[in-house]
Amino acid sequence: MPKISFLPHKKIIPKGITIDAQEGETILNAALKNNIEIEHACEKSCACTTCHCIIKKGFSSLSKCSEKEEDTLDKAWKVEEKSRLTCQAKIGKKDIIVKIPYYSSNYVKE
């Protein structure tokens, strides 16, 4: 069973946490099942960037990024080469390490 390690985030998970995940499950669904409240304003429809994350380890183990996800990520704040949307990235066989950025673009709140 793959593990997801979330690096510390001052509001969501101040000490960081490692959780178990199911292969084929999205990072967001695994997080929510473990009471990690990652923002997801579009309700997992790949229409916003509030669930943007950066994969620090295990990027190649995730599902392939779709063209729609890539287009949506273009609108995210401080996108990096290994950025993904947690609502779209499905877990593979290997463990991953995830960083949740401190800021996101949430046009609903702004």
Side-chain angles (χ1 to χ4, degrees):
M1 179 175 283
K3 296 193 180 302
I4 305 173
S5 295
F6 290 93
L7 297 176
H9 182 285
K10 62 184 173 186
K11 291 184 180 179
I12 300 171
I13 37 175
K15 295 182 180 181
I17 190 170
T18 298
I19 62 171
D20 291 323
Q22 297 292 322
E23 188 177 338
E25 179 175 39
T26 65
I27 295 170
L28 179 58
N29 285 342
L32 294 174
K33 282 197 312 194
N34 286 275
N35 299 313
I36 302 168
E37 294 298 322
I38 296 174
E39 192 172 0
H40 53 287
C42 71
E43 295 299 321
K44 308 175 191 175
S45 67
C46 195
C48 75
T49 62
T50 58
C51 72
H52 168 232
C53 73
I54 300 156
I55 308 301
K56 294 300 205 177
K57 181 181 176 192
F59 186 84
S60 63
S61 179
L62 298 173
S63 61
K64 189 172 179 177
C65 193
S66 71
E67 189 174 323
K68 182 176 180 181
E69 182 182 357
E70 288 176 354
D71 290 345
T72 303
L73 273 169
D74 285 343
K75 303 170 196 163
W77 186 79
K78 288 210 171 192
V79 173
E80 296 184 14
E81 184 179 335
K82 294 186 178 177
S83 288
R84 291 296 303 266
L85 297 179
T86 63
C87 71
Q88 301 299 304
K90 292 182 182 173
I91 314 247
K93 296 180 186 291
K94 296 182 181 177
D95 297 346
I96 62 170
I97 298 176
V98 176
K99 177 182 177 184
I100 301 168
Y102 290 118
Y103 301 102
S104 69
S105 300
N106 185 345
Y107 300 111
V108 175
K109 285 186 177 180
E110 292 176 359

